[in-house]
Amino acid sequence: MPYPETYRKVLDADLIVRPLVPEDVPDVLDIERQGYSHPWSESVFLDCFKDNYRLWGACHGGKLTAYAVVAYMVDEAHLLNICVHPRARGEGVGRYLLRHVLATAAHEGMAQLLLEVRDSNHAAIALYQNEGFHEIGQRPGYYPSASGREDARVLMLALGQ
């Protein structure tokens, strides 16, 4: 499959993906607060450092530019949070990190990956669909929003097939 131009830029960049550690939480919170109107709290992130979670950071030049939080339940991976620093958006970092999450989950025996995405997040929906995800349902009022609640689309991708 040919890579989009933005993804080729990432492949040429000094980008690494590594496991996050609790000491990364301040940088994660900085990205989270710039990326979301209703960010997760520090305690929520710290609570994710458990055996059945995978926390990944994409770093460029040693600086954290994106992160992902994935929960493993039996043979299912659930992408709970993925966010790219506003200055790194549109450069393929999110796609690169998502592909790392998918490859790792498949390697670790997960059969599928599920996620929720805001109905209004058209860029993320397009990315997920481009990577092979398909919609399997909706969660009405799932996300808090400025006007109350917003629906989520539930997307799924089978792994290792």
Side-chain angles (χ1 to χ4, degrees):
M1 165 172 62
Y3 292 121
E5 188 61 35
T6 56
Y7 192 71
R8 280 195 288 273
K9 284 172 46 179
V10 165
L11 293 175
D12 293 337
D14 176 26
L15 186 74
I16 63 160
V17 176
R18 64 165 175 81
L20 292 176
V21 294
E23 292 77 22
D24 290 314
V25 170
D27 291 333
V28 167
L29 285 169
D30 179 54
I31 296 169
E32 174 84 359
R33 291 176 181 140
Q34 292 184 63
Y36 296 121
S37 61
H38 295 80
W40 283 12
S41 68
E42 178 180 17
S43 62
V44 170
F45 279 108
L46 289 172
D47 195 45
C48 293
F49 287 94
K50 298 178 181 173
D51 287 343
N52 64 318
Y53 283 75
R54 303 295 182 272
L55 289 84
W56 299 107
C59 300
H60 183 257
K63 178 91 172 121
L64 189 69
T65 58
Y67 62 85
V69 178
V70 186
Y72 283 18
M73 295 165 264
V74 188
D75 66 346
E76 180 179 288
H78 191 158
L79 180 60
L80 301 175
N81 195 336
I82 186 167
C83 191
V84 177
H85 192 285
R87 287 191 306 264
R89 291 189 184 148
E91 297 178 4
V93 175
R95 183 181 307 273
Y96 189 85
L97 182 56
L98 177 63
R99 287 182 177 180
H100 176 85
V101 165
L102 293 168
T104 303
H107 179 76
E108 293 183 351
M110 299 295 108
Q112 62 185 8
L113 187 133
L114 292 173
L115 62 87
E116 290 86 12
V117 60
R118 284 182 184 271
D119 199 41
S120 64
N121 193 343
H122 303 294
I125 292 167
L127 169 65
Y128 296 134
Q129 289 175 338
N130 185 263
E131 291 298 312
F133 284 83
H134 65 277
E135 187 170 330
I136 60 168
Q138 293 195 354
R139 299 193 197 282
Y142 186 75
Y143 288 108
S145 72
S147 61
R149 306 293 298 180
E150 182 177 355
D151 294 349
R153 294 183 185 191
V154 181
L155 306 180
M156 189 271 290
L157 178 67
L159 302 173
Q161 297 180 6

